[in-house]
Amino acid sequence: MDWSQLVVPSLRSLNPYRPGITEEKLRRDTGLSEIFKFSSNEAPVPPSPAVAAAMRDALAQANRYPDAQDLLDKLGQHLRVPAGHLVLGNGSIDVIASLVRTFVSRERNVVLSEFGYCAYPEFVKEQGATVRLAASGRHFGHDVERLLTTIDSRTSMVLVDSPTNLSGHALTARELGYLIDYLPDHVLLVLDEAYAEFTDADAPRETEQLPLRHPNVVVTRTFSKAYGLAGLRIGYGIADAGLIGWLNRIRPPFPVSRMALAGASAALDDRAHVEHIVALARDGRRVLVDALDAMNIVVLKGSANFVLANFGRAARRVYEGLLARGFITRAMHAYGLPTHIRISVGTPREVEQLVTEMQHLLRPTPSVHATVEGL
Ligand SMILES: Cc1ncc(COP(=O)(O)O)c(C=O)c1O
């Protein structure tokens, strides 16, 4: 059966999202018992006991559909945003996909950055709409001037990740202010802040308040990264209440499970655990950058829970060598950067072991000439 003839025409050019290799797959493929995962920017520690207990309690009522209002209220208090300005999703990516479905159609376009999150273009193509790419700026970050000049009369959305999925580079408060000030009224700015909690002092503060002052700004965040709940799949959007009303019309009933709601609610209360994950990321980032610097590898520290390193000609050897030893990192082919490897921060012990393996793999192999001379 040629399914491509039967699917909706706008879907024919879509590529499936290729997640990084999972621990389960590498274990199956290699038979290694100990696997270290540095590839999907997850938290390196399991949920706290309080979160695990809340999820167990929710499991006991899994026969009932969930009610999201308690979490919406709690999240609203935490963010100082009325609950009517919030929408929950099956991961923040679900909220982003819903925004594109709601606001982008065939005759419109979406402005993305050249090195923006690689998952975005497929959502736009799915709508039969056009992507207009703005060249990226320093450190693969967004160039707000170029984003603005790429907007035309058919642009319905500018979608940016800050910090970015590729390099962790974040917009500064000035850059974000400029982008919002000069954004035409007919354009929605979707600010994907999956890594917001990891940013440093110069990052824009209180961006969760932006949609209250600017109805054409939407902010998305997630419980997957700093809250350590990637496997639960829960994220949220902050937006104008009217916009949320439209989103809710296209959302499937009960998009977030009872377990995810309970886990996220307990995670919001457990500030010590979030702070622990953020501290692990910040400290680990520094250790990785210092170690890679010492190996003469160009590395971007970024403001998230990972670093991006350019291994040049050694990239393939390092990536595959690490994989063979059970260390999963992320080769950046999806971004057209075959010499770059993105490394999520692990626990201090994991980071130390990874550094040792990288040092081993990068050790110069003696050339024939040197060997002969040495005889
Ligand atoms: C920039 C960015 N946005 C969104 C996501 C998706 O996050 P979620 O797990 O909330 O769907 C990721 C995941 O890595 C990401 O890097």
Side-chain angles (χ1 to χ4, degrees):
M1 178 80 93
D2 182 3
W3 290 108
S4 67
Q5 292 309 307
L6 297 181
V7 299
V8 174
S10 61
L11 303 189
R12 285 183 193 145
S13 66
L14 294 193
N15 298 307
Y17 179 73
R18 295 196 193 289
I21 298 172
T22 59
E23 286 158 280
E24 291 84 347
K25 176 164 169 42
L26 191 61
R27 198 168 285 124
R28 273 196 307 271
D29 291 354
T30 60
L32 289 169
S33 55
E34 203 173 17
I35 306 287
F36 302 90
K37 189 154 182 258
F38 300 89
S39 54
S40 298
N41 306 340
E42 300 142 322
V45 289
S48 69
V51 171
M55 290 193 286
R56 269 196 305 275
D57 288 350
L59 198 58
Q61 297 169 64
N63 55 316
R64 298 292 180 204
Y65 284 115
D67 181 335
Q69 197 56 47
D70 280 355
L71 179 61
L72 288 169
D73 290 341
K74 187 183 277 192
L75 196 53
Q77 273 171 20
H78 172 71
L79 299 167
R80 294 185 299 107
V81 165
H85 287 255
L86 297 172
V87 61
L88 298 170
N90 189 20
S92 59
I93 206 67
D94 175 36
V95 176
I96 294 167
S98 297
L99 284 161
V100 177
R101 275 179 61 210
T102 309
F103 291 99
V104 181
S105 56
R106 236 157 64 81
E107 63 286 355
R108 302 188 188 170
N109 67 60
V110 175
V111 171
L112 304 175
S113 279
E114 180 189 4
F115 290 110
Y117 185 22
C118 62
Y120 301 152
E122 305 311 306
F123 298 144
V124 181
K125 285 197 242 162
E126 190 178 334
Q127 297 306 105
T130 316
V131 169
R132 280 173 69 83
L133 275 188
S136 287
R138 206 166 62 94
H139 297 162
F140 305 108
H142 306 290
D143 181 325
V144 290
E145 195 69 55
R146 288 193 182 131
L147 284 169
L148 286 167
T149 54
T150 308
I151 292 171
D152 69 9
S153 59
R154 288 173 183 262
T155 302
S156 49
M157 183 181 288
V158 174
L159 173 49
V160 289
D161 48 343
S162 180
T164 70
N165 171 279
L166 170 63
S167 69
H169 190 71
L171 287 167
T172 62
R174 246 181 100 209
E175 288 168 333
L176 180 59
Y178 186 86
L179 181 58
I180 293 173
D181 282 350
Y182 288 93
L183 194 70
D185 288 342
H186 69 275
V187 178
L188 195 64
L189 171 66
V190 178
L191 183 63
D192 171 356
E193 291 195 325
Y195 303 100
E197 295 83 357
F198 300 106
T199 54
D200 301 313
D202 63 341
R205 293 289 116 197
E206 301 194 345
T207 44
E208 65 276 4
Q209 301 296 317
L210 287 172
L212 272 56
R213 294 198 300 275
H214 306 277
N216 61 337
V217 176
V218 180
V219 173
T220 60
R221 301 232 183 121
T222 186
F223 286 94
S224 296
K225 311 293 182 184
Y227 287 87
L229 298 176
L232 272 192
R233 311 303 301 124
I234 175 163
Y236 59 94
I238 310 157
D240 180 72
L243 186 156
I244 301 271
W246 280 104
L247 276 188
N248 284 336
R249 284 173 224 200
I250 66 133
R251 313 271 301 137
F254 310 110
V256 180
S257 76
R258 186 176 273 278
M259 270 65 75
L261 292 169
S265 177
L268 263 184
D269 291 336
D270 195 345
R271 301 316 302 170
H273 193 65
V274 180
E275 281 161 24
H276 175 55
I277 292 174
V278 172
L280 279 176
R282 290 203 177 129
D283 296 346
R285 230 157 59 184
R286 218 175 6 251
V287 172
L288 274 170
V289 167
D290 289 348
L292 287 159
D293 266 348
M295 291 179 236
N296 286 325
I297 300 297
V298 178
V299 57
L300 295 178
K301 180 158 156 249
S303 311
N305 58 350
F306 58 86
V307 301
L308 178 70
N310 186 352
F311 286 86
R313 281 170 41 191
R316 200 189 168 118
R317 175 159 49 91
V318 171
Y319 175 77
E320 287 178 359
L322 288 173
L323 208 53
R325 291 163 174 78
F327 292 79
I328 313 174
T329 56
R330 192 69 165 261
M332 290 285 107
H333 290 101
Y335 288 94
L337 297 172
T339 64
H340 287 71
I341 297 178
R342 197 188 61 197
I343 305 166
S344 311
V345 174
T347 61
R349 176 178 157 265
E350 289 170 339
V351 171
E352 195 184 312
Q353 283 174 277
L354 176 77
V355 168
T356 306
E357 291 297 338
M358 288 193 297
Q359 282 164 340
H360 175 74
L361 287 162
L362 286 168
R363 200 168 295 151
T365 42
S367 67
V368 175
H369 182 65
T371 312
V372 172
E373 260 191 0
L375 278 176

